[in-house]
Amino acid sequence: MTAPSSTPSKTRTSFYRRLYVAWLIEQAVASVPAITSLSGMPRRTAQDTISALHELDIECRFQQTEGGRQNQGTYVIENWGAINRDWVRQHIEQIAALLGYPLPTSP
């Protein structure tokens, strides 16, 4: 990861936000309420970011909770497409810092 400029572009922050959200989903922070609670990002931003993952060829599927209400469940990343998941794992601290978002604490 190269050193970021003092003010990252909208393109960079949008791209990194998608990587951050996909990484959260893989870490079992996998619902809109969980993402907004952890990150502080607005609900609509979280929803739009999840919806935009397909633009990076990240396959994300909603998994309905059995017996749950309509739209109650979690998201699952089925395929990272052309994105190198290992690179994201190695750089998630820098990505989160650039965005100003926290990472989940380890148990």
Side-chain angles (χ1 to χ4, degrees):
M1 189 167 166
T2 60
S5 64
S6 59
T7 305
S9 69
K10 286 184 178 184
T11 301
R12 175 175 264 178
T13 56
S14 175
F15 178 67
Y16 282 175
R17 187 178 306 107
R18 292 173 193 186
L19 298 181
Y20 173 79
V21 167
W23 182 84
L24 287 179
I25 291 169
E26 274 215 337
Q27 303 308 305
V29 181
S31 67
V32 171
I35 292 167
T36 60
S37 175
L38 173 76
S39 68
M41 104 178 31
R43 180 178 189 79
R44 184 62 189 200
T45 301
Q47 290 170 325
D48 289 349
T49 302
I50 292 167
S51 294
L53 291 176
H54 77 278
E55 293 175 3
L56 299 179
D57 291 329
I58 295 175
E59 295 175 22
C60 181
R61 177 178 55 84
F62 183 74
Q63 189 171 310
Q64 180 75 33
T65 300
E66 193 170 322
R69 298 186 326 253
Q70 171 95 13
N71 296 327
Q72 185 178 28
T74 57
Y75 289 92
V76 176
I77 301 296
E78 294 188 329
N79 188 327
W80 282 78
I83 302 298
N84 183 333
R85 177 185 359 194
D86 292 331
W87 185 93
V88 175
R89 284 186 194 141
Q90 293 168 5
H91 293 89
I92 194 63
E93 289 181 14
Q94 295 104 317
I95 291 168
L98 183 134
L99 295 169
Y101 293 142
L103 295 174
T105 55
S106 299

